[in-house]
Amino acid sequence: MTTAAEVDVIAKLICKGIDPQSRAKGIQSYQREIVAEFPAIYKAKVLVPRFGLTLKPWSNWETENTSPLWWKANNNVKHQRSEFFHEATLKNLLNAVAALLLFLVLYYGEEIKDLAPKSALFVPNSFCVKIGGDWMYMHMS
């Protein structure tokens, strides 16, 4: 739940970076603003090479007004834990952490560009970074 809360915080900051007047609040308003600026965000991948995992935490954003599955599960567990505790899975946690990593890379861009490849556990395989005044979609093979 803490990871999803951090995603929410960074998503607001990303939206403010796109438009300082942004009033985005909630996953679907974040989706509208972020996808408008970064239309390929749904393709972004995070690799977990130690375990042979490839995570695409924003893949649901290919479709308008669609929340990521891990986000829905988090809200289900947060608001109705006794009914949805079975959704508190490692898979959802890993996707939330991957989503946060991608948003941190997106938000901090050039400040962390040299740090991203050094992670041995989570590796952002594709992401957007700000270089100079331009946003670039990066893919690492």
Side-chain angles (χ1 to χ4, degrees), residues 92-103:
N92 285 327
L93 172 62
L94 291 174
N95 275 291
V97 170
L100 179 58
L101 174 64
L102 289 167
F103 271 11

Side-chain angles (χ1 to χ4, degrees), residues 99-111:
L100 179 58
L101 174 64
L102 289 167
F103 271 11
L104 288 170
V105 170
L106 186 65
Y107 181 70
Y108 288 103
E110 200 161 311
E111 293 177 44

Side-chain angles (χ1 to χ4, degrees), residues 3-141:
T3 303
E6 287 300 312
V7 169
D8 187 62
V9 169
I10 295 297
K12 285 178 188 170
L13 291 172
I14 291 170
C15 289
K16 287 281 189 188
I18 294 168
D19 175 8
Q21 304 303 316
S22 173
R23 296 184 187 268
K25 185 177 180 181
I27 195 71
Q28 291 185 353
S29 58
Y30 303 148
Q31 180 186 16
R32 280 188 295 277
E33 293 188 24
I34 293 170
V35 169
E37 185 73 13
F38 308 105
I41 189 74
Y42 72 91
K43 294 180 185 179
K45 298 176 191 174
V46 172
L47 305 180
V48 186
R50 182 175 186 177
F51 299 105
L53 298 174
T54 300
L55 305 168
K56 290 177 65 179
W58 298 110
S59 63
N60 295 81
W61 275 11
E62 185 174 12
T63 305
E64 286 184 40
N65 299 315
T66 305
S67 300
L69 297 177
W70 59 267
W71 183 271
K72 290 178 188 176
N74 176 74
N75 281 331
N76 287 342
V77 172
K78 181 170 64 174
H79 296 294
Q80 298 167 318
R81 184 169 298 157
S82 61
E83 187 177 341
F84 291 101
F85 189 73
H86 66 279
E87 293 184 15
T89 64
L90 179 59
K91 178 181 178 179
N92 285 327
L93 172 62
L94 291 174
N95 275 291
V97 170
L100 179 58
L101 174 64
L102 289 167
F103 271 11
L104 288 170
V105 170
L106 186 65
Y107 181 70
Y108 288 103
E110 200 161 311
E111 293 177 44
I112 63 167
K113 72 178 180 188
D114 296 327
L115 300 177
K118 293 180 184 175
S119 171
L121 183 57
F122 285 92
V123 180
N125 181 268
S126 54
F127 48 87
C128 295
V129 293
K130 191 170 189 176
I131 299 176
D134 299 318
W135 286 99
M136 300 190 67
Y137 179 75
M138 307 292 286
H139 179 77
M140 299 170 12
S141 325

